[in-house]
Amino acid sequence: MRFWQKTLVLMLVLFVVVLDVSVIMIMNKSWRLNMNREQQRAASDHALIANSIYENLNSIKSRGMRINDTILLDVARSYGEYYRERGISLQLSNQDAPVYAEPSEPSARHISVTNELPAPYGYLQLTYRRDIEALYAGQDELNRYFVYINCISIPVLAALMYVLIRKLTKPLQSLADSTKSIAEGNYGQRVQLKNRDEFGELAQHFNRMADAVERQVTDLSAMAEEKQRMVDNLAHELRTPLTSLQGFAQYLNAAHIDEEERITASGYLWSETLRLKNLVFKLLDLSILSHQPVKRSRIPVVELFESVRRMEQANLDAAGIELILDADIPAVWGDRELLESFLVNCLENSIHASTPGLEIKLAAYEQDAAAVLEVTDSGRGMSAAHLERVFEPFYRVDHARSREHGGAGLGLALCRQIAEAHQAQLSLKSEEQKGTTIQLILQLHNNGPLTL
């Protein structure tokens, strides 16, 4: 049985029971009051008739007449005939011997009062009976009316309570529908209630809970997709060099190859082994950054830039590109090795995107109370579609050129990890055929090392 049905049945039963019990108690009280009133009236009438007979007997006695049964019968008959027309019957007894009695049998529903007459007639007993059939008939009519009212009011009350309870429990049905929809996977479902009562508060709390669940599910789905994409990309990256290594190893085992072919095959083995090593090291760097805190120290910018220049000088010379250093601030706070790795990765991307004769600029300056490390080139740049995914692991803007230089698409993913480890902002602006600028914005660099 549903909640509204239980509520309807319980409320209806409770209401009918309480109402009927109350009405029955009122009717019983009214009946007792009416009976008391009739009994008081009977006692009063008996006293009045007894006094009248007493006065009549005294009057007869004062005239010198002796009070005998004949006179008592005449007196009692005269009073009996008078009150019979008013529904009252009288009986007069002389020491338990009947002197006068009504000829008809009294009604089964009557009030009877028997008492002695005042002295000196105390040996006479007067019995007063009055028919109260009309009182019982009125009570029976009232009982029938009560049943009639019940037969009409209960269906009407049930209909009104059905409408009222269905309206009151409608928000519960809305909540149940929304919960069912979310349980079936529709996490965007919300409860549309504008009530200002407890149901309205419950709907607001429910919607906030649904928002949190939707965010969690979206985040978990994104994480699952990213992990799956990383696994797919890693498998793809490993398959190519491993296949090459297997092929060149078989080639070296061949019986008839000359020295020049052996050197060529050995070179390919070396380059593929180097690519695998770089791939493994990059993955290790990403794993370490996600599990270890960063130890910050003051790093002179000039020393940082010169270190990066020494590491990349051979690649710059091979590509025919000039590196320009511009340090407007003396130092930054951070992990020296990680910041060198950040600049090296950005610098290698700029070298691969640039043509001989162009320039790449490493700059450090203060902007809005932050230290900015910036790498700018005037190479091929990237489209807006590439900018949205360029920080994803194993994502390459130019697949052929990246493989040519041994890249696996992990450089900018590592840069993002370094920025997050420093609680820094990462900005990338690029325009096709005009160049790319990447910025690492280190906050509060002048206030000393931060505690992670």
Side-chain angles (χ1 to χ4, degrees):
M1 183 179 289
R2 301 186 68 81
F3 174 75
W4 70 267
Q5 293 172 332
K6 294 179 182 177
T7 305
L8 176 61
V9 172
L10 291 176
M11 292 295 293
L12 184 60
V13 170
L14 182 63
F15 191 87
V16 170
V17 168
V18 171
L19 182 62
D20 285 0
V21 168
S22 301
V23 172
I24 290 172
M25 291 177 66
I26 292 173
M27 291 172 62
N28 287 336
K29 182 65 176 177
S30 176
W31 173 253
R32 287 195 298 272
L33 291 174
N34 289 335
M35 287 299 294
N36 288 336
R37 188 163 49 250
E38 291 297 330
Q39 288 173 353
Q40 290 174 3
R41 177 184 172 187
S44 177
D45 289 348
H46 180 278
L48 177 64
I49 296 171
N51 285 331
S52 298
I53 293 174
Y54 167 80
E55 295 292 341
N56 202 344
L57 293 176
N58 280 342
S59 174
I60 294 172
K61 193 175 182 180
S62 63
R63 291 196 296 271
M65 297 178 67
R66 182 173 172 269
I67 303 301
N68 53 26
D69 289 345
T70 303
I71 292 177
L72 289 175
L73 178 61
D74 291 339
V75 172
R77 182 184 294 114
S78 64
Y79 280 96
E81 291 175 353
Y82 174 77
Y83 283 102
R84 188 185 305 130
E85 298 175 356
R86 291 164 176 76
I88 297 172
S89 64
L90 298 177
Q91 180 179 343
L92 185 65
S93 300
N94 184 357
Q95 296 180 348
D96 297 331
V99 177
Y100 169 78
E102 289 291 336
S104 59
E105 290 294 328
S107 172
R109 294 175 175 178
H110 65 271
I111 291 178
S112 177
V113 179
T114 301
N115 251 329
E116 298 173 351
L117 268 63
Y121 309 105
Y123 56 91
L124 297 176
Q125 292 85 34
L126 177 65
T127 298
Y128 169 96
R129 291 191 184 90
R130 187 162 59 84
D131 186 6
I132 56 172
E133 188 65 35
L135 184 63
Y136 277 93
Q139 185 65 27
D140 292 340
E141 178 64 22
L142 191 61
N143 291 337
R144 286 193 295 273
Y145 186 72
F146 171 71
V147 174
Y148 174 73
I149 290 296
N150 261 348
C151 293
I152 295 178
S153 63
I154 290 177
V156 174
L157 182 62
L160 293 176
M161 291 183 69
Y162 169 79
V163 174
L164 181 62
I165 290 175
R166 290 293 288 170
K167 183 177 182 181
L168 290 176
T169 57
K170 187 177 180 180
L172 284 178
Q173 186 61 47
S174 179
L175 284 169
D177 294 341
S178 299
T179 305
K180 180 181 177 183
S181 180
I182 291 176
E184 292 173 348
N186 185 14
Y187 298 103
Q189 179 69 31
R190 295 294 181 270
V191 181
Q192 303 297 330
L193 283 181
K194 296 181 180 179
N195 301 38
R196 295 183 178 179
D197 52 12
E198 289 82 353
F199 286 116
E201 294 179 3
L202 179 61
Q204 292 178 5
H205 297 328
F206 178 86
N207 287 337
R208 282 200 289 271
M209 181 191 70
D211 291 340
V213 171
E214 185 179 15
R215 285 196 298 272
Q216 291 289 337
V217 171
T218 303
D219 293 344
L220 290 175
S221 299
M223 290 175 61
E225 291 178 0
E226 186 175 358
K227 287 182 179 179
Q228 184 62 43
R229 188 166 53 249
M230 284 191 66
V231 171
D232 295 343
N233 291 333
L234 179 60
H236 178 74
E237 291 299 327
L238 290 175
R239 184 173 61 246
T240 301
L242 288 176
T243 303
S244 298
L245 287 173
Q246 183 182 14
F248 285 118
Q250 290 176 348
Y251 183 71
L252 284 175
N253 287 331
H256 304 290
I257 60 172
D258 54 22
E259 183 62 17
E260 182 179 357
E261 291 173 334
R262 186 187 65 79
I263 293 174
T264 303
S266 299
Y268 281 119
L269 286 175
W270 170 258
S271 63
E272 293 301 324
T273 304
L274 183 62
R275 178 184 297 178
L276 282 176
K277 188 192 74 173
N278 291 334
L279 174 62
V280 171
F281 283 178
K282 293 281 187 184
L283 290 174
L284 286 175
D285 289 342
L286 287 172
S287 177
I288 291 172
L289 280 174
S290 61
H291 294 91
Q292 290 187 357
V294 172
K295 295 180 180 179
R296 299 168 190 265
S297 63
R298 186 176 185 276
I299 308 169
V301 174
V302 174
E303 294 181 11
L304 178 65
F305 283 180
E306 288 298 334
S307 177
V308 172
R309 180 204 291 274
R310 284 194 297 273
M311 286 186 282
E312 291 297 317
Q313 189 61 56
N315 292 331
L316 290 168
D317 293 341
I321 295 172
E322 182 181 1
L323 180 63
I324 299 174
L325 304 181
D326 184 9
D328 287 344
I329 55 177
V332 295
W333 284 89
D335 185 288
R336 185 186 186 97
E337 293 182 354
L338 292 181
L339 293 184
E340 285 179 349
S341 178
F342 173 84
L343 293 175
V344 166
N345 277 289
C346 293
L347 190 55
E348 287 182 349
N349 286 338
S350 294
I351 292 172
H352 299 157
S354 301
T355 55
L358 296 180
E359 295 177 349
I360 298 175
K361 182 179 180 182
L362 289 185
Y365 55 89
E366 181 176 345
Q367 177 179 287
D368 299 331
V372 180
L373 295 179
E374 181 179 278
V375 180
T376 304
D377 66 63
S378 53
R380 287 181 294 276
M382 292 175 283
S383 65
H386 288 310
L387 285 175
E388 293 180 356
R389 301 186 58 191
V390 74
F391 290 107
E392 295 177 5
F394 298 105
Y395 183 79
R396 293 189 181 92
V397 176
D398 189 335
H399 289 260
R401 186 168 288 101
S402 295
R403 286 193 177 279
E404 179 184 347
H405 296 289
L410 294 174
L412 288 179
L414 181 60
C415 289
R416 184 178 64 177
Q417 288 283 83
I418 293 172
E420 292 176 354
H422 284 80
Q423 297 179 341
Q425 296 180 10
L426 189 61
S427 172
L428 178 63
K429 298 177 182 177
S430 185
E431 190 172 352
E432 288 185 295
Q433 306 305 323
K434 290 186 177 180
T436 301
T437 298
I438 184 168
Q439 295 176 325
L440 180 67
I441 304 171
L442 298 162
Q443 300 293 331
L444 304 175
H445 67 288
N446 290 325
N447 294 336
L450 299 178
T451 301
L452 293 178

